[in-house]
Amino acid sequence: MSAPPSGPAPAASSSGLDPGRAARLAGEVARRDIRTRWMLSLPAIAIVTAAAAGPLLIVLVYSFLTPGPYGNVEWRFSPDAWINVVLQKDIFDDTWQWADAHLRIFWRSLELSFLTTALTLVLGVPTAWFIATRNERTRVVWLFLITIPFWTNLLIRTIAVMELIRNEGVINSALIGLGLIEQPIQMMFTDFAIALGMTYVYLPLMVLPVYASIEKLDFRLVEAGYDLYASRRKMFLRIILPLVKPGIIAGSILVFIPSLGAYVTPRVLGGGKNLMLGNLIELQFGQGRNWPLGAALAITLMAMVMVALLYYVHVTGRGRRWHG
Amino acid sequence: MHDMAVEARAVEARAVTKIFGSDDSAEVTALDDVTVSIRENEFFTLLGPSGCGKTTLLRLIAGFDHPTRGEIRLHGEDISHLPPYQRRVNTVFQSYALFPHMTVAENIAFGPEMLGQPRAEVARTVDEMLGLVRMEEFSARRPEQISGGQQQRVALARALAAHPRVLLLDEPLSALDLKLRKEMQIELKRLQHETGITFVFVTHDQEEALTMSDRIAVMNAGRILQIGAPREIYDHPAERFVANFIGESNLLRGELGVVTSATGTVTLSSGVTLSASVPDGAVRAGAGRTSGQTSGQTSSQTLVNVAIRPEHVQLAASPDAGTLSGRVENVVYFGTDTLYHLRLVTGEPFTVRMQNTRDGSPDARIGDTVGVSIRAGVAQVLQD
Ligand SMILES: Nc1ncnc2c1ncn2[C@@H]1O[C@H](COP(=O)(O)OP(=O)(O)O)[C@@H](O)[C@H]1O
Ligand SMILES: [Mg+2]
């Protein structure tokens, strides 16, 4: 590293600089360059610190405090909130037990999020494939249609689903009208309702990244596969799937993360009893008046999201190279 | 099944037309009534400028597209509408189209695996192919980790590993730099020789076509203009396009005289009479599409184009000694030879290429009036 490259040496000697000095100068230029970059990214760093790290820190600190009697916190250290995430004291004999209610909600959240991800995959991948294989003009129209729901408020979209599935809703009325059923089918306030609602709401988040990776797919590779005697099944498994995988993983993450933290959809479609993590957290800051527990639950949720994201980074870190 | 096929051609296109685009406003006739027959074990080249339909013809043979009219036959069997995976034909793609998520070895193994070869045999084929293209050291690399020339060799190995009876190569060398291209030309010839597989090779590089091919089909605008051995095509171009696309040619107008068995006399506009080769059909074309006439019995008033290669003629010793005469307008020195650009007395341009000798002084200078000697049989009458 200390020896100057042979290229610039003649130029340096002709201008009267010795090679060592030239190397030092080059180092100085590099240092200045780095300093300029730091200066340029300072505003971004400031915003990230103030808007993301700051509030997060407050939440973290609150999770180690004592709940106040009417909400808020008392500035006394207490690990109780963290213990209460998974354990609870028996009201009668003061022994520690698993916090079944919390664990059930954790489990339901995970289950519903996985279910939602799976449903959006099943619906989204063929949709993305369909769009990506249309001609350019038609593609734009389909993509536009896919993004339209984004323009509408989440609450309104959820209530639209409710209109479809409630006992007096479109589906039940139609089925009763046709004489296929006599009693309305109970769909509202079930896990099914929540999964349906989330699938509907998050489907575009699956379609768009999958579409992007299918669109990038070099169809000459598909021809090469057929040329080498691949069957349709083998073609999909050996060539298309590995190349589209980054998009599928991105879509899955994009659906899974908001599903895990979903609040509006389970609240509207799940009623009061089918809580998800988001609702549980909200409960602690509202009726529960246990802000530290709410904070601890929020951080737990965030940790789960982080795991999913790390997995994503790990997988796409390898995948990105293929697309150059 | 091999003995049956011996008699048949490896690949035949019979009156194949391919039209792209269904709405008539955007119709493109990529191939127009193409008929060609490629022999077994032949190194056959499709040569033509970009957009003339070379890739389209190759894709029809591979099965990625199907002809609008006409049929494609492989070893005598009509395969026009079979999918690619039902043809024992493999392709080396212009872009290589290597699978980016597989290693070199996995790429090569793909074809044999899809053909259902047992694992041990696949491994043997892969080793054999890696050796054939000299890529043993790189078997564990991914396509992005090897150079363009190496990718090219892997693409070749991958196609050969599937044991094709006909190998299609779409401008496989066009992305390589000159030195590598020369090496790969030799490599390809060696591979074709060693494997004995019929190669259908596409290029727009006339020199490449001349050096590598057993036979060449010259294409332009969706049509095949001439098929023949390199020497045949170079020495006896049938059409003006061929004469200009392959090497350089001087073109002169003349009147065709008596034709006897592929040789005739041509009277040039300067009044000089030459003896020239006459291809089949030239007379008919020259007579302005009047049908029914055949060579041998022709009226004497047929205007034709005559092609003369610059290196097939010489500057004469004195201005009056040659067949033609003209003024030297430019002299270009090329090391091995020198080009003399002349203006004939008729006003037509004419180029003479003279080989340089060690101690020779230039044969002529700008402004000199010189003669050009043309030996009998050097001039070629063109079809159009
Ligand atoms: N899929 C296609 N759709 C429409 N036109 C095409 C298509 N493929 C080729 N063509 C047209 O057909 C002609 C021949 O193309 P191609 O066979 O690729 O030429 P070459 O390989 O000789 O350069 C070109 O005019 C090209 O634009
Ligand atoms: Mg082409």
Side-chain angles (χ1 to χ4, degrees), chain B residues 131-328:
Chain B
L132 198 64
V133 297
R134 307 199 177 108
M135 287 290 293
E136 295 98 331
E137 305 158 56
F138 302 97
S139 65
R141 301 259 189 106
R142 285 187 199 284
E144 61 181 2
Q145 297 166 323
I146 57 179
S147 73
Q150 290 167 336
Q151 288 181 19
Q152 151 73 87
R153 296 221 288 273
V154 175
L156 203 58
R158 183 180 69 176
L160 287 172
H163 298 303
R165 302 189 62 188
V166 175
L167 186 70
L168 309 176
L169 304 102
D170 191 359
E171 308 211 19
L173 309 181
S174 61
L176 307 180
D177 60 46
L178 190 65
K179 187 167 168 293
L180 206 53
R181 193 150 81 215
K182 298 277 177 210
E183 282 174 28
M184 280 308 297
Q185 287 176 1
I186 296 166
E187 192 92 333
L188 272 180
K189 272 304 269 188
R190 175 180 71 86
L191 281 172
Q192 199 257 335
H193 194 74
E194 281 178 18
T195 57
I197 294 171
T198 309
F199 274 35
V200 183
F201 182 86
V202 162
T203 183
H204 62 258
D205 181 338
Q206 47 112 356
E207 193 186 319
E208 195 166 276
L210 290 175
T211 54
M212 300 181 72
S213 321
D214 293 324
R215 285 195 307 149
I216 299 172
V218 185
M219 294 182 69
N220 189 35
R223 307 183 65 99
I224 290 187
L225 304 182
Q226 191 175 2
I227 302 175
R231 182 130 216 156
E232 213 173 303
I233 287 194
Y234 189 84
D235 285 347
H236 302 290
E239 295 191 19
R240 195 204 319 227
F241 179 85
V242 180
N244 278 328
F245 191 73
I246 299 172
E248 289 166 73
S249 285
N250 293 299
L251 293 179
L252 299 173
R253 295 290 284 172
E255 242 171 54
L256 190 59
V258 188
V259 177
T260 43
S261 65
T263 312
T265 56
V266 180
T267 309
L268 302 179
S269 40
S270 58
V272 180
T273 300
L274 295 172
S275 98
S277 309
V278 184
D280 290 349
V283 183
R284 219 180 313 145
R289 298 183 205 294
T290 40
S291 56
Q293 284 180 309
T294 56
S295 57
Q297 20 167 276
T298 167
S299 64
S300 57
Q301 290 301 306
T302 311
L303 275 175
V304 290
N305 277 307
V306 178
I308 301 172
R309 297 282 186 198
E311 69 276 18
H312 288 167
V313 296
Q314 289 202 303
L315 292 182
S318 71
D320 330 307
T323 322
L324 303 169
S325 85
R327 259 170 82 84
V328 179

Side-chain angles (χ1 to χ4, degrees), chain A residues 12 105 118 129 140 143 182 196 205 231 234 252 263 266 282:
Chain A
I105 289 171
W129 183 270
V140 176
L143 281 178
E182 289 183 357
L196 178 75
L205 297 178
S231 62
K234 280 281 198 299
S252 302
Y263 169 72
E282 187 258 358

Side-chain angles (χ1 to χ4, degrees), chain B residues 50-51 54-56 94 170-171 202:
Chain B
S50 177
K54 307 181 295 290
T55 298
T56 304
Q94 185 163 7
D170 191 359
E171 308 211 19
V202 162

Side-chain angles (χ1 to χ4, degrees), chain B residues 6-154:
Chain B
V6 172
E7 285 309 301
R9 300 301 194 197
V11 182
E12 273 177 287
R14 292 190 181 171
V16 167
T17 294
K18 177 67 187 178
I19 298 170
F20 286 110
S22 46
D23 44 342
D24 40 19
S25 57
E27 259 186 20
V28 179
T29 306
L31 291 176
D32 184 7
D33 194 23
V34 164
T35 296
V36 58
S37 126
I38 299 167
R39 297 171 190 148
E40 193 104 36
N41 300 348
E42 186 171 37
F43 197 117
F44 190 90
T45 297
L46 299 171
L47 171 65
S50 177
C52 73
K54 307 181 295 290
T55 298
T56 304
L57 182 52
L58 221 53
R59 289 173 59 83
L60 293 185
I61 300 172
F64 302 130
D65 266 320
H66 303 287
T68 310
R69 284 191 291 276
E71 61 181 40
I72 305 278
R73 288 176 165 266
L74 186 69
H75 298 103
E77 182 199 356
D78 183 2
I79 56 160
S80 310
H81 297 283
L82 291 186
Y85 46 84
Q86 286 177 16
R87 309 177 177 205
R88 291 313 297 257
V89 169
N90 290 106
T91 306
V92 177
F93 293 85
Q94 185 163 7
S95 55
Y96 311 147
L98 295 177
F99 304 126
H101 56 294
M102 297 184 197
T103 63
V104 165
E106 286 165 350
N107 264 282
I108 299 175
F110 193 82
E113 276 173 13
M114 294 301 119
L115 283 170
Q117 283 185 9
R119 197 169 293 198
E121 203 182 323
V122 172
R124 201 150 35 79
T125 308
V126 170
D127 283 343
E128 188 193 333
M129 291 303 147
L130 283 170
L132 198 64
V133 297
R134 307 199 177 108
M135 287 290 293
E136 295 98 331
E137 305 158 56
F138 302 97
S139 65
R141 301 259 189 106
R142 285 187 199 284
E144 61 181 2
Q145 297 166 323
I146 57 179
S147 73
Q150 290 167 336
Q151 288 181 19
Q152 151 73 87
R153 296 221 288 273
V154 175

